[in-house]
Amino acid sequence: MPSLDPIARHFERLCELSEQDQKREIDSLGLAEADRVMLMKLLAADRREGDPIHAVIVDGVAGINAPDSIHFGPWRLVRELGSGGMGTVFLAERSDGHFEQKAAIKLLRGFPTSEGMRRLRQERRILAGLDHPNIARLLDGGESETGQPWLAMEYVDGLPLLEYARRHAPSLRDRLGLLSSTLDAIGHAHSHLIVHRDLKPANVLVTRAGEVKLLDFGIARLLDSADELAASTSTRIYSRGYASPEQRDGAAITTASDIFSIGVILQELLTGRRENSAAEAPLVPALPLDADLAGIIAKACAQRPQDRYANAGEFGADLQRFLEGRPVSATQLTRGYRLRKFVSRHRVGVGLAALAVLLVAVFVWRLERERDRAVNAELSAQAALEASDRDAARARASLQFLTDAISAASPEVAMKRQVGVRDLLDAARAKLETSDTNDPAFGQSMKRLLAHLYSQLGEARIGMDLMREGLVGVEPANGQEALRLADDYEEYAKLLGVMDSIPMAMDAAQKANAWRERFAPDNPTLRVESLQSMAMVHHRGGDDGEAIRLLREAWAVPAGKSSDEALGRIESAQLLASLLAVRGECEESLQYSEKAMALASALAPDSPDRLAPMRSRATALNSCGRSAEAEPLLREAIALQDRAVAAGGSRMMNLTNDLALTLNDLGQYQEAALLLQRSDTIALDAGMGEAEHAMSLANLAGVLENAGDYEGSLTALRQAIDLLDKVEMDADHQSRRRITRSLARTLGLAGQDDKAWPLMQELRERCLRIEGQDSGEYAMLTWQLALLAERMGNRGVGIGLVDEAERLWGALAPPSHPLFAHVLRLRARWAVRAGDIAAAEQNLREASRILSDETASPVDLAIVRSELAQVLWRRQGKAAARDLMLAALPVLRGALLATEVNRVRAEALAAQLGMGH
Amino acid sequence: MSESSEHDVTRLIDRWRAGEEGARATLMTLVYNRVRAIAGHSLRQTPGATLSATDLAHEALIRMLGSNAPWENRKHFFNVVAQATRQVLVDAARRRTAGKRGGNVEHVEIADALNVSAGQGDGSLLLLDSALNELGQSHPRQVQMIELTYFGGLDRREVAASLEVSEGTVDRDLRLAKAWLRNVLER
């Protein structure tokens, strides 16, 4: 035992010196040999670099987790596989050499604490009770010589779920298959009253053969165990990110918690991300998330356990339904996928162009009650004027003049004799212009009044100009005047909206609202009107979300029994129905339109106020794909409009447009084209804004294109673009892009591919930048390019585009959607070019199957049949082809012009088959 | 194993400071058990990582006393924890070494392979332990310093406060002790 004391002092002193100095000093100390040697060794040790003590301790710490021995029962450990929770897993083989069997042996990490031992024993007990092909089987178990419990499980040679997905990039179907197996396994455990509690991708292994094996029931719980009630820390151990809300809150855990975890796993398996970690790069090759799948995930991951799938079996059944293209029980749509519904209801050709017109037209549809109030108010204002010291005679004369004019234009009467009223108003306006200006206030108030009246006639431009003149510099002197001015500003806002001056419209609407809030805060009718008018301005400005929110608020305002309030409610409902329909929320749109209709049934049969609810109901039906029901309703509305109001005007134009688009959806292109041409004329008369007119022309172009009149279509489109140039609409504006897209498509159809291609590509680039890859517009443009590429015979680019388009559509529409039939048609065309007739036939048969659904367009089906006939003729001969053509030809001839590409082809085939007219 | 509440430990420490013999022993056992559990538990996050023993002890402290415990308790506690941590690691090394003894060559190789560490560590740790024991017979204060520094994770100021010596003393004592231990380890 070395005594350090003698040399301690020396060491202290010498350790600061250099090596040579130390040597010199030591020699001069005259120590005993043993001491001198020790001192030198100590100094040498002190000089060396590093800290071995630290290293030794660190090693010791790291080695804590090594097992005590390598033999467990008949097994011998071979190497470590991994560790987690409180255990480490090793690969083991049988040491008696009898079998080739491998096992995974689980030991506790570090020391056997009583908690750890209890848990391992519990796991052994639980696994012993489970027997399922997708759960790693228990083989053996026991306690080692040193008292360490162990268990041996079936060794699974596989990858954790996400790693597997990363390496093999399985298809959607395959991924759902993996998840189904997982659900099977969990269902089995649940049926044995076992909750896993720690489901995460690391615990789901997938073997080479693609088989799922569920692992690690380490913190699983028997539901009837008394332990469940004990508040031990073990219940707080879970994997963040996969744990259900109740696990995080420390509340009671049930089988529903496992369902939640599997929902999160499903999302991650498909998209590579969990909900709350959107910032990371995806972990697996991401698949676009179909809205139905998003709904399934949302249901599995509902906040409250009772809102989730009741059991694993139901969850699995919904997945199965999805794969078969059947409606799933989880119908909730997540944000961002609403477009899917819209895409699903409208024909590929014109669908999105139609959207624009609906947008435009909604705004114009207001009810007429404002006019009454404005008029009445003005009359009393005149009376007040009379009482002041102005020229009484003059006031009286004006009042008389207006009263006569106005009483002639009373609600029911005026609108029926539109021409008469128009002349009257024009005369009044002319008179105002020429009258002397020693009472400008009077002139202005008259202008405002006239503005209302012109607006009611649908004369937006005149109304707007008059209102602007009538409002300039006018300030209210009291609350009553302010409220009247509020009405005027509201009307002004509406007119500005129609004429596309959105920021000014917003200002006007807000001004009106501010006065109303200040001077009539408790008036529900005014509140509702303000909300509606602001909603409409937001809508015109492109913010439908805000518009809908405001309208819902308006709907929620408690309404009394007065007729004004009843009309207000009808208005809220029908506006909501229209906007929701435009966004593709068809079910909700229908509900509101029904409410509006129900409220409107209390009105007189020929009341023009019925028109708006009828129209919004038709819009709702159209968006739900029930065009056949929308058609008669619209015809009825047109008749009512004609009878009760006027033969022209913007409302008639809107109704005619609606009917045209409905007919387009029904495949009746020729009639639709005629209607649109007619409504276009009306639009010109009504003096609507250029942008709106352009939209209307675009719609016409679309329908003409469908019918096969390509030249007519191109003409209309060029006119539309000219109009947009006139108003200097930006190239990035959504409406302009839509029209340009139609132009590009039609150019392609008309054989001008070289012009169409660069235009379409440029549009797609723009769309990618503005709307992103997930948007319906981008998918549409990709699709158009794919079609063009095939027409141009550009195989290299073309096939890739078809694949891309199919993938993009896949995120927006269910597999049963007609879109995919068109994709198959396109593939068939490529197959024919490559000479693979068998593949072409297969594709066309599949397409035909999809289009045989009753909601699909009969024209589309006929087109596919004619294409299939072409193929069959080459494979099976004339007889088979003729049969198909017999069914297809009449439909094609009824719906399409002779110049339409599909009809041209079909007729040529018919001729070759010897089928005359 | 039942959870020790902050309350129990603090009370135990008080009793120990008051000179109660049995309290110290109970505290030691308690801490020993606790550190054992933590050793397995905390390494769950980073298997095979070089989590040092000091982190271990810090964890034990935080868990058991909470971060606002008064210094008095902390000071004494660290002594206990540092010793306990040392015991934990040494016990583990001993068991592993015992397990390897008496097997055939292959057995030893596999056993070595299964050890997360380099394989030499256990022997060195045991050597360190016996060296500390030896040193402790004549220089118990230096051993305490080593324990507090390496197993308790204290810095020199905290060691000085804990042992109620100057920081200079800590520096000098530690340097000597380190050199001596190193000499033993690297022989």
Side-chain angles (χ1 to χ4, degrees), chain A residues 20 96 170 241 312 314 323 338 397 424 430 443 448 484 496 536 580 627 704 794 835 859-860 880 902:
Chain A
Q20 283 137 314
D96 52 13
E314 265 190 36
L323 282 171
R338 277 190 212 103
L424 206 58
R448 296 197 295 275
R484 281 206 309 280
L496 285 165
M536 286 299 98
L580 286 166
S627 303
L704 289 172
N794 189 342
V859 182
D860 284 345
N902 295 300

Side-chain angles (χ1 to χ4, degrees), chain A residues 61-344:
Chain A
V61 168
I64 275 175
N65 298 312
D68 293 343
S69 75
I70 62 167
H71 286 288
F72 295 89
W75 304 96
R76 177 178 58 220
L77 301 188
V78 173
R79 62 180 165 84
E80 186 173 326
L81 288 173
S83 57
M86 290 193 76
T88 313
V89 181
F90 297 85
L91 175 64
E93 55 190 19
R94 285 186 78 102
S95 50
D96 52 13
H98 280 160
F99 307 100
E100 280 296 313
Q101 198 176 22
K102 285 199 170 64
I105 293 205
K106 188 163 179 174
L107 301 171
L108 290 177
R109 290 176 69 88
F111 303 101
T113 62
S114 56
E115 171 70 18
M117 287 199 287
R118 188 189 62 77
R119 209 177 274 167
L120 198 60
R121 283 191 206 106
Q122 165 96 311
E123 184 174 2
R124 217 164 70 203
R125 215 168 36 237
I126 285 173
L127 280 178
L130 294 176
D131 179 15
H132 190 275
N134 295 121
I135 298 179
R137 229 172 235 101
L138 179 73
L139 297 176
D140 207 343
E143 309 219 342
S144 73
E145 299 137 7
T146 48
Q148 220 188 1
W150 58 276
L151 61 83
M153 296 181 292
E154 171 192 352
Y155 169 61
V156 179
D157 183 10
L159 295 169
L161 186 64
L162 293 181
E163 183 59 33
Y164 180 86
R166 204 193 337 264
R167 294 225 199 141
H168 296 103
S171 68
L172 177 65
R173 189 168 284 273
D174 289 341
R175 292 186 203 195
L176 294 183
L178 292 174
L179 207 88
S180 281
S181 301
T182 312
L183 282 168
D184 273 349
I186 280 299
H188 177 82
H190 288 178
S191 70
H192 283 79
L193 300 177
I194 292 165
V195 183
H196 189 286
R197 299 202 306 160
D198 194 20
L199 285 169
K200 52 188 174 180
N203 283 340
V204 181
L205 291 191
V206 187
T207 66
R208 261 175 246 277
E211 216 186 9
V212 163
K213 292 275 183 188
L214 200 53
L215 292 185
D216 208 346
F217 281 74
I219 60 167
R221 270 280 193 257
L222 284 164
L223 282 180
D224 58 353
S225 155
D227 292 330
E228 193 62 42
L229 305 168
S232 67
T233 52
S234 57
T235 56
R236 275 187 255 121
I237 296 173
Y238 53 78
S239 303
R240 280 186 191 287
Y242 302 96
S244 59
E246 61 269 18
Q247 266 173 302
R248 290 197 295 266
D249 295 340
I253 295 168
T254 63
T255 54
S257 315
D258 280 348
I259 299 284
F260 184 97
S261 305
I262 296 188
V264 178
I265 292 173
L266 176 58
Q267 166 144 25
E268 203 171 13
L269 181 59
L270 296 178
T271 65
R273 290 192 174 113
R274 275 172 274 142
E275 186 64 51
N276 46 11
S277 54
E280 297 160 14
L283 300 168
V284 301
L287 297 174
L289 203 60
D290 178 89
D292 277 345
L293 276 177
I296 290 175
I297 289 171
K299 183 164 179 174
C301 297
Q303 284 293 303
R304 302 188 314 168
Q306 59 265 38
D307 293 335
R308 302 172 199 157
Y309 289 105
N311 53 55
E314 265 190 36
F315 192 165
D318 237 9
L319 286 178
Q320 188 58 33
R321 265 181 232 116
F322 169 79
L323 282 171
E324 291 169 12
R326 282 155 49 212
V328 298
S329 74
T331 52
Q332 172 192 356
L333 284 174
T334 55
R335 192 171 301 194
Y337 295 105
R338 277 190 212 103
L339 185 61
R340 164 237 174 187
K341 285 226 159 171
F342 183 79
V343 169
S344 75

